[in-house]
């Protein structure tokens, strides 16, 4: 029984670690999409953030500089997206595709130019990374059954960025629903004319939404390469940006629901490594590809209205023309 | 308010794409310079790599073949105002269709039965993989972009599972199928030329290049010469008017997506039937996404698509040459150019349009709009 | 035309809340406003009247900062001012109630009213004050609305009140209403006017934009008339009458008499039996509709737009499946269980000139010749072979353009590059070509110049005389009266009654449009 508990805790622990980049990207996606801008460029921004964080951390030796540089680079990608589809009213999906491809190419080119290691960045020493934080009292509580284990395995021992991601969810929700910025942001994604007619700049509002999203993606990228991992490797984002987008849809463009979706998808991913080759009673062996495909299948079913019907922001995807 | 005259057709079809290409190349040139290499030298190497060596033209056209198919896929959907991002997945699944036909029929039938069935299999599987998102868009209102993205990942999962599992060649570690029987091999161009006594350099270029040229023709006739094409374009330009005209909008969208997917699936004829003669992991290698750049740059017109495919063929083949010639710049440069082209000829399509139109008026090439 | 003395309410000397001088604005080649002068005394209701496309909305959008004038000056309360955005105009005390409401459907009333004047970085800060203001304004002006209700749950009249509340809450002393009654029932219109009068008496200056003469006469103090982008006159409402205003609006006395002989009705070609339709949100939009129509006869359908005419047209033409009842057409039946699509109906001999040529009638990005085969593209006019024959289409289009005097007569020109009248001619040329036995027409002459109107009317009469059964829906009462042999008036999705065109007049029809039965209206 205790062994099962430990296994479960370890799985949940892994869930949290795997869900962290998803959560940050999903929050970024909510900001962009709630403002009316389709954001399939989450993937590219995540990848850019991961590369820049690792490169800067490798050069300066500072994880913090890496993080800030990642945020800056990712925001820059957001601004390109904004320039194309806010300022020039271009197609948001096309712009997103362009950014994702640019990120794929640029990270490798810059990586080779800087480090000549085939697109990877050098392995970071621990002091240049965001490492696990041991909470106060783990030792003391260790002897208390159950609670001690939960405290040690699940609550304590994550990187700062994991906790940051978890704290950012209620903050995002608060900003979205309780602040002036949030009210205007939600309005501009539903009916930009109303925002314009209220004397508020649609352009600047949408840019701000993208900038916030860029910053969040930058943190997510930094987590991948200088916290969860210890260097950048090609295509490190590996579709996580798209899974985050799926979580946004699954979460009906709401922060808490999206958080739940990210945790669910993270749990599935955590489960695959544990279930690989394991014969489950009654079910038999589950192909891990099937488990990994669950986020995509769920999103397709959801969008098709087979399980509930998500309501996207009404003005999403349409450039604003006066 | 500025008074922008419409851009004439020739400028829209030729001048604008050239300007977009130039800007994309210029930015990449700056990046190369920042890296510390000479951009002109780099582009020179690419051109050389694409044409000069005996086998390079063959390689260039081999890449071109892929881009024609995936570009046509994106363009067909665009005409129905559908953004099919799923060419990658459709091509991947198309490979499965070709493989099924090759394994089921190949061992028993001669090439003239096997090959058409393989080609048909590739088109049919690709069509199916695009038709489902088309159906979900037309009948259930799911956004085609998101669905086709998800279908790319589903295709990847499915293929990994098949190639590493049920379809994996026994006694081997890498995820790929067995080699097809020779009846399912598309002949290489070098082999065909050899029959007529002409010796050309060996390259992966195979007869599917001709199939791609035929596909361009089919596309042209379909879109502009058939009633179905008329309906597809009507649905794309104004679905309300299509409904008024008695066109079944949902059905037309589904059909357009199926045709789009079929074109994407045909890409497998080149890679699977023509080159590898088996299905290997990730044989699509991002060609499906390049199709977006090709369609955007080629303005959804067959001639434009051919030229854009050729351009990307040059870039891909020439880009491979970069790996040999330079230490610090690699073939990923091509991804950068590709991204820039999508950005400038797609998302920023309207940026150069008004200034260019005004410029043409100023230099007297185009008549300005008179005040009423 | 010189300005005349304008009446101001109360005994205070004339003071202008708003003055415009020499305002001009062009969109591309279209000069929407030319040298506009306007003076609006404070605390009055000032009407701006003009036909669709006269430039009223452009002028108001300039005033509200949504467009910027190319030239001209503006003074608010005597002070010169520059308005660059709606933020500027809001700061100057201008509020606008748009034709299409600027309300977020998924937001509550409170959230919508707060948008733009939240009162602080956090919503909590301004919430209490907004609720108080809403309550006070609601009670003062008789516009009590539940602040927590979702906009999507409110009816149109209530939504409009929210718009007015929003403007007032933002501190508006000048309130612009752009065609506010287009979507209202007569009762709601009445209530709106009451509210406007109370606001005026409270010192708010109101600009009422409309193309409806009766509204101007009913509620305004002064009226300015616009035509073709210019201001053609200013009048004190009490000193003018509808006839004079109409003349100013149109420019010359247009006698919309359509020359036609008596009808020779033949057999019944179209009969509608207890037809009903339900909107996607579950409301009855068409109820118990029944009528017969014979060949050689024109049935006009009058009514305020949005009273079920669109749905009726859609059902008759196969674009919508009826939820109840049936249509018998040319010996066949349309009902919920046996629907017909537009293509099948065309093959049976029905043609359809749709209400909105930009939405349904044309593909604007297609060439004229491609538009001339829209809906008939599977027939022989696109050639008899497996493929479309462009030469055949081209010849056909050139012939149609010649017959209907479409200018420029260039089949390869995109539809969007033709004027409104010529676009409409392309649609009509296409639909009449098939020699329909039943023709369904929506707004035959909307946005069409006078010359083309006459031409189009003649075509319809000629078709009637050839034995075609024609249904004409129009919001222009004069047009319905001139064209029709019989007139059905619709209100709230129902038929108020069918009258003979010869035995009725604008007054009776107007009353019937408000839902008053035929007998009571006589």
């Amino acid at each position: 029984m205790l062994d099962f508990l430990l296994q479960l805790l370890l799985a949940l622990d892994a869930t949290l670690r795997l869900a962290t980049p998803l959560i940050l990207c999903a929050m970024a996606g909510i900001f962009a999409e709630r403002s009316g801008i389709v954001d399939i460029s989450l993937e590219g921004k995540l990848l850019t953030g991961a590369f820049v964080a690792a490169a800067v951390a490798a050069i300066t030796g500072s994880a913090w500089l890496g993080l800030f540089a990642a945020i800056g680079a990712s925001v820059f990608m957001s601004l390109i997206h904004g320039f194309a589809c806010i300022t020039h009213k271009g197609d948001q999906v096309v712009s997103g595709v362009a950014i994702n491809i640019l990120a794929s190419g640029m990270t490798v080119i810059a990586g080779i130019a800087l480090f000549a290691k085939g697109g990877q960045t050098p392995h970071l020493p621990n002091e240049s990374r965001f490492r696990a934080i041991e909470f106060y009292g783990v030792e003391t509580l260790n002897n208390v059954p159950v609670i001690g284990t939960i405290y040690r395995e699940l609550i304590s021992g994550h990187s700062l960025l994991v906790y940051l991601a978890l704290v950012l969810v209620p903050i995002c929700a608060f900003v979205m629903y309780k602040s002036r910025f949030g009210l205007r942001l939600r309005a501009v994604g539903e009916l930009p004319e109303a925002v314009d007619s209220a004397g508020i700049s649609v352009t600047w509002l949408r840019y701000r939404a993208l900038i916030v999203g860029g910053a969040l993606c930058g943190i997510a990228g930094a987590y991948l390469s200088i916290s969860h991992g210890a260097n950048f490797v090609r295509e490190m984002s590996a579709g996580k940006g798209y899974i985050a987008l799926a979580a946004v849809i699954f979460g009906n463009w709401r922060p808490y629901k999206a958080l739940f979706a990210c945790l669910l998808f993270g749990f599935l991913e955590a489960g695959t490594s544990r279930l690989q080759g394991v014969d489950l009673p009654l079910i038999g062996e589950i192909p891990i590809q099937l488990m990994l495909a669950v986020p995509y299948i769920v999103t397709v079913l959801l969008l098709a209205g087979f399980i509930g019907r998500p309501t996207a922001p009404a003005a999403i995807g349409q450039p604003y023309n006066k | 308010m500025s008074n922008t005259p419409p851009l004439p057709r020739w400028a829209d079809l030729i001048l604008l794409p050239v300007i977009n290409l130039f800007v994309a190349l210029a930015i990449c040139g700056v990046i190369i310079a920042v890296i510390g290499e000479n951009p002109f030298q780099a582009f020179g190497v690419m051109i050389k790599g694409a044409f000069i060596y005996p086998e390079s033209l063959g390689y260039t056209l081999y890449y071109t073949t892929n881009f024609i198919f995936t570009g046509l896929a994106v363009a067909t959907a665009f005409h129905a105002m559908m953004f099919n991002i799923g060419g990658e997945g459709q091509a991947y699944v198309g490979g499965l269709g070709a493989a099924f036909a090759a394994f089921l029929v190949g061992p028993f039938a001669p090439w003239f039965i096997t090959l058409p069935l393989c080609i048909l299999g590739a088109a049919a599987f690709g069509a199916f993989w695009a038709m489902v998102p088309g159906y979900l868009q037309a009948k259930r209102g799911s956004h085609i972009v998101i669905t086709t993205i998800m279908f790319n990942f589903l295709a990847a999962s499915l293929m990994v599972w098949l190639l590493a599992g049920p379809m994996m060649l026994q006694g081997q570690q890498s995820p790929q199928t067995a080699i097809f029987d020779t009846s399912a091999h598309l002949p290489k161009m070098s082999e065909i030329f050899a029959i007529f006594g002409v010796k050309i350099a060996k390259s992966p270029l195979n007869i599917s290049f001709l199939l791609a040229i035929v596909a361009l023709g089919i596309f042209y006739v379909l879109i502009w010469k058939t009633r179905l094409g008329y309906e597809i374009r009507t649905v794309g330009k104004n679905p309300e008017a299509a409904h008024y005209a008695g066109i079944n909008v949902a059905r037309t969208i589904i059909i357009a997506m199926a045709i789009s997917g079929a074109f994407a699936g045909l890409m497998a004829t080149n890679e699977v039937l023509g080159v590898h003669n088996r299905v290997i992991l990730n044989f699509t290698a991002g060609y499906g996404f390049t199709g977006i750049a090709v369609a955007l740059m080629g303005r959804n017109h067959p001639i434009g698509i051919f030229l854009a495919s050729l351009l990307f063929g040059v870039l891909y083949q020439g880009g491979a040459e970069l790996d040999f010639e330079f230490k610090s710049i690699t073939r990923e440069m091509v991804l950068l150019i590709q991204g820039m082209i999508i950005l400038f000829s797609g998302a920023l399509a309207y940026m150069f349009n008004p200034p260019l139109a005004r410029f043409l008026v100023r230099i007297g090439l185009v008549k300005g709009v008179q005040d009423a | 035309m010189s300005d005349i003395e304008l009446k101001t309410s109360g005994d205070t000397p004339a003071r202008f809340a708003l003055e415009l001088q020499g305002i001009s604005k062009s969109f591309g080649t279209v000069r929407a406003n030319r040298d506009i002068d306007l003076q609006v005394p404070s605390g009055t209701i000032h009407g701006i009247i003009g036909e669709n496309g006269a430039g009223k909305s452009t002028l108001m959008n300039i005033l509200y900062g949504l467009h910027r004038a190319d030239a001209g000056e503006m003074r608010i309360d005597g002070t010169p001012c520059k308005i660059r955005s709606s933020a500027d105009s809001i700061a100057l005390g201008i509020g606008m109630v748009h034709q299409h409401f600027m309300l977020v459907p998924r937001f509550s009333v409170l959230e919508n009213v707060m948008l733009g004047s939240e009162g602080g970085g956090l919503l909590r800060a301004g919430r209490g004050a907004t609720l108080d203001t809403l309550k006070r304004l609601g009670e003062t002006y008789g516009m009590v609305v539940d602040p927590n209700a979702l906009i999507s749950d409110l009816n149109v009249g209530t939504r409009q009140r929210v718009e007015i509340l929003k403007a007032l809450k933002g501190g508006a002393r000048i309130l612009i209403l752009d065609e506010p009654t287009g979507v209202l029932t007569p009762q709601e219109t009445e209530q709106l006017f009451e509210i406007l009068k109370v606001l005026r008496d409270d010192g708010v200056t109101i600009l009422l934009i409309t193309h409806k003469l009766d509204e101007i006469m009913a509620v305004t103090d002064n009226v300015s008339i616009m035509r073709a982008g210019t201001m053609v006159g200013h009048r004190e409402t009490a000193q003018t009458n509808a006839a004079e205003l109409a003349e100013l609006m149109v420019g010359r006395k247009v006698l919309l008499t359509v020359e036609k002989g008596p009808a020779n009705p033949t057999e019944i070609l179209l009969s509608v039996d207890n037809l009903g339709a339900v909107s996607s949100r579950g409301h009855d939009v068409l109820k118990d509709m029944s009528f017969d129509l014979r060949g050689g006869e024109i049935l006009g359908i009058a009514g305020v737009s949005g009273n079920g005419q669109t749905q009726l047209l859609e059902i008759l033409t196969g674009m919508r499946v009826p939820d109840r009842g049936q249509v018998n057409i040319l010996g066949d039946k349309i009902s919920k269980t046996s629907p017909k699509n537009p293509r099948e109906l065309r093959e049976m001999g029905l043609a359809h000139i749709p209400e909105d040529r930009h939405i349904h009638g044309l593909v604007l990005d297609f060439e004229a010749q491609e538009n001339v085969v829209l809906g008939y593209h599977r027939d022989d006019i696109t050639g008899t072979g497996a493929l479309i024959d462009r030469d055949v289409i081209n010849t056909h289009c050139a012939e149609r353009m010649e017959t209907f005097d479409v200018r420029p007569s260039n089949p390869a020109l995109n539809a969007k590059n033709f004027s409104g009248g010529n676009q409409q001619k392309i649609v009509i040329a296409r639909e009449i070509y098939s020699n329909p036995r039943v023709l369904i027409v929506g707004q035959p002459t909307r946005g069409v110049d006078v010359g083309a109107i006459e031409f189009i009317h003649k075509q319809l009469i000629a078709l009637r005389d050839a034995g075609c059964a024609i249904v004409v829906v129009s919001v222009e009462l004069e047009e319905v009266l001139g064209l029709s042999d019989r007139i059905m008036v619709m209100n709230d999705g129902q038929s108020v009654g069918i009258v003979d065109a010869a035995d009725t007049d604008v007054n009776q029809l107007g009353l019937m449009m408000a839902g008053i039965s035929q007998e009571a209206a006589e």
Side-chain angles (χ1 to χ4, degrees), chain A residues 53-59 61 121-129 225-226 229-231:
Chain A
V56 171
I59 292 165
T121 64
H123 201 83
L124 291 170
N126 280 341
E127 57 272 20
S128 305
R129 295 171 55 205
S225 66
I226 64 173
N231 70 339

Side-chain angles (χ1 to χ4, degrees), chain A residues 33 39-40 42 240-250, chain B residues 146 149:
Chain A
E33 301 226 337
D39 204 358
I40 66 167
L42 293 175
K240 287 191 169 59
Y242 292 111
I243 297 192
L245 192 63
V248 171
I249 296 164
F250 191 63
Chain B
I146 307 290
I149 288 175

Side-chain angles (χ1 to χ4, degrees), chain A residues 178 180 184 190 196-197, chain C residues 64 86 103 106 118 121 123:
Chain A
K178 304 285 182 191
R180 176 173 61 192
R184 293 176 173 192
E190 294 287 333
D196 190 16
S197 130
Chain C
Y64 192 62
S86 11
L103 299 172
R106 279 167 76 183
E118 294 85 350
L123 297 180

Side-chain angles (χ1 to χ4, degrees), chain A residues 9 98 133 163 244 253 258 268 295:
Chain A
L9 281 176
I133 300 171
Y163 298 114
W253 289 268
L268 286 167

Side-chain angles (χ1 to χ4, degrees), chain A residues 34 174 176-188 190-191 193-200 252 254 311-314 320 322, chain C residues 64-67 84-88 90 96 98 101-107 111-112 114-124 166:
Chain A
R34 275 290 181 127
F174 182 81
M176 195 65 75
Y177 293 103
K178 304 285 182 191
S179 78
R180 176 173 61 192
F181 175 57
L183 180 77
R184 293 176 173 192
L185 187 86
R186 285 181 288 134
V188 82
E190 294 287 333
L191 190 71
E193 294 85 350
V195 170
D196 190 16
S197 130
I200 307 159
N252 210 2
R254 290 168 180 274
T311 33
Y320 178 61
K322 260 194 189 179
Chain C
Y64 192 62
L66 293 175
H67 295 322
R84 279 176 229 87
S85 70
S86 11
D88 290 348
I90 292 167
M96 184 153 176
H98 299 265
F101 299 148
M102 297 295 177
L103 299 172
V104 180
R106 279 167 76 183
F107 277 14
E111 283 177 309
N112 269 294
M114 285 184 81
L115 186 66
S117 58
E118 294 85 350
L122 296 182
L123 297 180
R124 199 171 41 199
K166 190 167 114 184

Side-chain angles (χ1 to χ4, degrees), chain A residues 260-271:
Chain A
F260 169 76
C262 292
L263 290 172
L264 175 69
F265 295 164
F267 181 73
L268 286 167
E269 201 185 335

